């Protein structure tokens, strides 16, 4: 058996079941080069091919598909944002997510759970009331509820939080959901590839050539690719790509850590978030608790996770759910979050012709995957910002027109 396995591993010609075709080497030119084969880059490729008929596309990935923040987040989908721009944008994302499994012909385990953001103070309740009113104005199912409704949906919660931070109410968002993150990336990759998109893993962009203010080529670890359109869809490396085209970066990079517990019998149906306690948790179909906390306090370009993170997260979790004492944490990791000054993304056209940006996703990028794909594809195909991303342009920082989305962050900062 061991010899057979070894022979199979060493055989360069074995018939490997392929999820999608990967050409051996990139071609000399493409209509569009997308840098980053996470959910955003792949979704952009898919909608470019599917909706706009643009299929000569190369997607470059320095690591592996979905190995960046797509595979490192806690899979929460919601649209209960604070600014009208954010609410409309994420609402479209939720709509797209709801039928995405059928569209991509892949079970994404999309599971609508209801999403509670807990309030432990009058001040937080006030922000939530504000958020609920903005949400309702735009037709989003979002309301302020009392502690008894939190308890009804989650009977194992300790409403007093160990007597330390009693729960005074919550923002409840019924459409809040979780979805298999890697399946989203792989589903987009497979459908894009079936339409002719070429995806190159282990292929890093090392430079972007700009002539007379326009992009003309991308240099990669596997050669030069001529193109008139480049999409930057990377998290953690956006400042590096901006530097390649000579643009300033409004982004700081901070690690966001997460972990999962050993599997347990189902006990937690909704998604529970407490920005004040720095904790959010959901339970997967496999029974694991997926948990996260605040971002790390300083800029750091690293995906390592720390003991400090699990100990402080466990402290907060035990305030909310004391019966979890003794449950084991089995994996932990970090992603790199691109933070903008106003906690809203930076998207669309830039002052460099043919260079398009999909960045600044901070701690909420995964939930935007489908809408980013749809709006970026439109923007690239028409060289005009899609109306849903018009407010997210980089020039807002020069005009000091911040969007102020911090109040809707589920994560402490
Ligand atoms: O914005 O919903 C969110 C979120 C949850 C975990 C990280 N971000």
């Amino acid at each position: 058996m061991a010899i057979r396995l070894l022979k199979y591993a060493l055989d360069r010609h074995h018939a490997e079941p392929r999820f999608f075709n990967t050409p051996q080497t990139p071609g000399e030119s493409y209509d569009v080069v997308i840098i980053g084969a996470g959910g955003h880059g792949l979704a952009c490729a898919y909608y470019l091919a599917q909706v706009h008929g643009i299929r000569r596309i190369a997607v470059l990935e320095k690591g592996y598909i979905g190995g960046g923040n797509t595979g490192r987040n806690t899979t929460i989908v919601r649209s209960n944002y604070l600014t009208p721009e954010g609410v409309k944008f994420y609402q479209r994302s939720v709509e797209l997510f709801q039928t995405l499994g059928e569209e991509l012909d892949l079970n994404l385990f999309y599971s609508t759970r209801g999403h509670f953001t807990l309030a432990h103070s009058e001040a937080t309740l006030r922000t939530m009331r504000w958020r609920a009113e903005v949400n309702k104005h735009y037709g989003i199912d979002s309301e302020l509820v009392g502690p008894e409704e939190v308890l009804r949906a989650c009977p194992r919660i300790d409403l007093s939080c160990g007597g330390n931070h009693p729960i005074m109410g919550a923002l409840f968002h019924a459409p809040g959901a979780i979805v298999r993150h890697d399946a989203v990336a792989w589903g987009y990759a497979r459908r894009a590839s079936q339409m002719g998109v070429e995806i190159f893993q282990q292929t890093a962009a090392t430079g972007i050539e700009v002539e007379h203010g326009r992009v003309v080529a991308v240099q990669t670890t596997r050669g030069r690719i001529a193109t008139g359109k480049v999409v930057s869809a990377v998290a953690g490396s956006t400042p590096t790509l901006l530097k390649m085209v000579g643009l300033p970066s409004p982004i700081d990079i901070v690690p966001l850590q997460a972990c999962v517990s050993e599997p347990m019998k189902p006990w937690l149906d909704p998604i529970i978030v407490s920005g004040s306690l720095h904790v959010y948790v959901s339970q997967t179909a496999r029974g694991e608790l997926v948990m996260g906390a605040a971002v790390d306090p300083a800029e750091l370009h690293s995906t390592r996770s720390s003991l400090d993170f699990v100990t402080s997260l466990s402290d907060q979790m035990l305030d909310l759910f004391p019966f979890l004492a003794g449950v084991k944490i089995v994996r932990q990791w970090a992603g790199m979050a691109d933070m903008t000054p106003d906690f809203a993304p930076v998207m669309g056209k830039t002052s460099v012709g043919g260079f398009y940006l999909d960045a600044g996703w901070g701690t909420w990028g995964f939930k935007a995957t489908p809408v980013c794909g749809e709006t970026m594809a439109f923007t690239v195909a028409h060289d005009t910002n899609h109306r849903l991303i018009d407010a997210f342009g980089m020039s807002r920082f020069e005009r000091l027109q911040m969007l102020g989305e911090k109040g809707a962050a589920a994560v402490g900062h």
Side-chain angles (χ1 to χ4, degrees):
M1 173 65 188
I3 294 194
R4 250 182 48 216
L5 196 60
L6 193 64
K7 267 177 72 183
Y8 184 77
L10 296 178
D11 184 354
R12 293 175 65 82
H13 303 293
H14 61 262
E16 192 182 330
R18 289 276 182 201
F19 208 72
F20 58 87
N21 294 319
T22 304
Q24 290 301 310
T25 41
E28 284 178 7
S29 72
Y30 292 87
D31 293 337
V32 182
V33 173
I34 297 173
I35 306 176
H40 287 213
L42 293 165
C44 178
Y46 166 75
Y47 292 108
L48 273 170
Q50 171 76 10
V51 179
H52 303 282
I54 298 174
R55 297 183 174 189
R56 289 189 64 247
I57 302 171
V59 185
L60 310 180
E61 171 54 54
K62 72 176 175 189
Y64 58 93
I65 283 182
N69 285 357
T70 298
R72 293 169 184 276
N73 64 80
T74 45
T75 81
I76 295 169
V77 173
R78 64 183 174 93
S79 61
N80 57 352
Y81 276 72
L82 179 60
T83 65
E85 294 83 356
V87 170
K88 287 186 269 183
F89 184 74
Y90 287 97
Q91 178 57 2
R92 177 65 185 151
S93 212
V94 171
E95 275 168 28
L96 289 168
F97 258 128
Q98 284 168 343
T99 53
L100 193 60
E102 282 153 47
E103 186 170 346
L104 299 179
D105 193 22
L106 188 65
N107 187 353
L108 304 178
F109 288 83
Y110 189 87
S111 175
T112 301
R113 299 293 188 86
H115 181 283
F116 288 90
T117 312
L118 306 179
H120 308 264
S121 69
E122 284 294 344
T124 320
L125 273 177
R126 238 186 346 264
T127 312
M128 286 179 184
R129 202 167 288 123
W130 174 11
R131 245 168 100 182
E133 290 311 313
V134 176
N135 291 171
K136 280 189 254 181
H137 183 74
Y138 289 99
I140 310 284
D141 191 346
S142 176
E143 59 177 330
L144 210 59
V145 297
E148 62 293 342
E149 285 170 76
V150 177
L151 191 62
R152 202 170 307 128
C154 184
R156 315 251 1 217
I157 202 164
D158 174 2
L159 285 179
S160 82
C161 288
N164 300 323
H165 340 264
I167 295 167
M168 299 173 67
L171 181 67
F172 177 58
H173 178 45
I178 52 175
V179 52
R180 268 280 305 278
H181 48 12
D182 43 1
V184 172
W186 281 86
Y188 276 127
R190 181 174 65 170
R191 289 292 295 120
S193 165
Q194 285 165 352
M195 290 184 285
V197 172
E198 299 185 356
I199 302 164
F200 300 98
Q201 301 181 79
Q202 303 290 320
T203 306
T206 52
I208 299 173
E209 293 174 30
V210 177
E211 281 175 13
H212 309 295
R214 287 204 64 85
V215 161
V216 293
V218 179
Q219 292 153 2
T220 82
T221 46
R222 297 172 70 195
R224 178 183 187 274
I225 301 173
T227 184
K229 294 190 171 184
V230 174
V231 179
S232 168
V234 295
S237 299
T238 303
T240 309
L241 291 193
L242 284 170
K243 204 165 166 191
M244 289 179 189
V245 293
L247 290 176
S249 167
I251 286 167
D252 288 332
I253 292 165
V254 287
L256 178 62
Q257 305 190 40
C259 61
V260 291
S261 74
E262 61 186 321
M264 305 172 71
K265 284 188 181 166
W267 63 269
L268 179 65
D269 193 40
I271 302 155
I272 302 285
V273 175
S274 169
S276 322
L277 282 194
H278 298 316
V279 66
Y280 38 91
V281 57
S282 65
Q283 188 170 25
T284 69
R286 278 200 301 232
E288 300 157 329
L289 300 179
V290 181
M291 297 166 279
V295 295
D296 284 9
E299 172 138 14
L300 184 66
H301 298 206
S302 162
T303 51
R304 291 188 65 183
S305 185
S306 63
L307 181 62
D308 191 41
F309 159 71
V310 266
T311 49
S312 58
L313 175 93
S314 305
D315 246 12
Q316 312 289 27
M317 279 295 291
L318 290 176
D319 270 359
L320 283 170
F321 306 109
F323 77 99
L324 291 178
V327 170
K328 295 186 186 61
I329 305 243
V330 293
R331 281 194 312 282
Q332 62 183 105
W333 64 89
M336 289 191 279
D338 282 11
M339 300 304 315
T340 59
D342 60 0
F343 288 64
V346 193
M347 293 184 77
K349 292 179 62 168
T350 66
S351 55
V352 175
F355 183 73
Y356 306 90
L357 202 53
D358 174 354
W361 290 106
T363 58
W364 41 82
F366 174 67
K367 58 183 63 50
T369 303
V371 72
C372 280
E374 184 179 65
T375 55
M376 287 304 293
F378 176 96
T379 302
V380 171
H382 297 278
D383 197 34
T384 305
N385 283 338
H386 187 284
R387 65 183 163 76
L388 281 179
I389 67 168
D390 231 1
F392 301 145
M394 179 116 88
S395 63
R396 75 179 185 273
F397 300 116
E398 286 154 27
R399 290 181 273 114
L400 297 180
Q401 279 178 350
M402 304 294 181
L403 279 172
E405 200 61 275
K406 188 169 186 179
V411 176
H413 291 84

